[in-house]
Amino acid sequence: MNKNAEAILLVEDNPDDAELTKLALARHGLDGRVTHVSDGMQALDYLYRRDGFTDRSGGNPILVLLDLKMPLLDGIGVLKEIKSSEHLRNIPVVVLTSSTEPSDLQRAYDAGTNAYIAKPTEFAQFLSAMKHVCEFWVNINQPAPQSASAGVRTTSFGELA
């Protein structure tokens, strides 16, 4: 793994769920390697280096953990944008949500998610799920090489700046 890159972009609007996820990831050695944003528009701003993220360091995250139900732009909208962008589409996206609705699963896979995890309600089960996420996506998976234009700035929804 590129030690200079952020390991994970966490896109979660619920502050309690975000803290729980960061805690679980920290237990697996990723403390300080997680960037949290609280809505879909902030996620795209981060990925496209816009607004408050124009000077962020590092390349693309090696993983995006994405909630579905969020204000401004929901997880499906973010997922569609990531997977349709030449500069972002190789970033693995794992939907991490409380929804077990078959329609949400279908929409997420149709939009290109790499995996779908329904958040376990028991703390021990949640920690176990995050352990598996870390083990596979951070330690085992070989991410796509970063392209020279991976950090290109854009305006809205992928239009090049």
Side-chain angles (χ1 to χ4, degrees):
M1 172 169 61
N2 179 352
K3 300 293 184 192
N4 295 323
E6 291 291 332
I8 295 174
L9 174 63
L10 172 61
V11 187
E12 171 63 66
D13 66 318
N14 182 309
D16 293 332
D17 286 352
E19 284 306 310
L20 181 65
T21 303
K22 290 190 292 185
L23 173 67
L25 295 171
R27 287 193 176 190
H28 300 290
L30 290 169
D31 41 337
R33 306 282 305 280
V34 177
T35 297
H36 170 238
V37 296
S38 58
D39 66 58
M41 289 307 297
Q42 286 181 351
L44 295 181
D45 289 344
Y46 177 88
L47 292 168
Y48 285 122
R49 298 176 185 265
R50 300 184 299 220
D51 294 334
F53 300 103
T54 55
D55 295 326
R56 75 169 172 86
S57 61
N60 285 334
I62 64 166
L63 177 65
V64 173
L65 291 176
L66 181 64
D67 189 22
L68 287 184
K69 312 281 192 224
M70 295 182 295
L72 301 181
L73 179 63
D74 70 3
I76 297 297
V78 173
L79 183 57
K80 286 179 180 179
E81 176 62 24
I82 290 171
K83 295 304 179 180
S84 69
S85 168
E86 177 184 345
H87 306 292
L88 304 175
R89 70 173 151 235
N90 288 329
I91 301 171
V93 178
V94 173
V95 169
L96 181 62
T97 186
S98 56
S99 176
T100 57
E101 291 295 319
S103 61
D104 286 338
L105 263 78
Q106 188 63 54
R107 288 180 40 216
Y109 278 108
D110 287 347
T113 193
N114 296 92
Y116 190 106
I117 299 172
K119 294 176 193 170
T121 55
E122 297 286 327
F123 183 66
Q125 291 174 339
F126 187 78
L127 288 177
S128 177
M130 290 297 96
K131 176 183 178 186
H132 293 296
V133 166
C134 292
E135 186 63 29
F136 181 76
W137 292 107
V138 177
N139 298 325
I140 296 172
N141 183 54
Q142 294 294 307
Q146 296 272 329
S147 67
S149 58
V152 71
R153 282 195 293 178
T154 61
T155 54
S156 63
F157 288 95
E159 298 170 15
L160 294 175

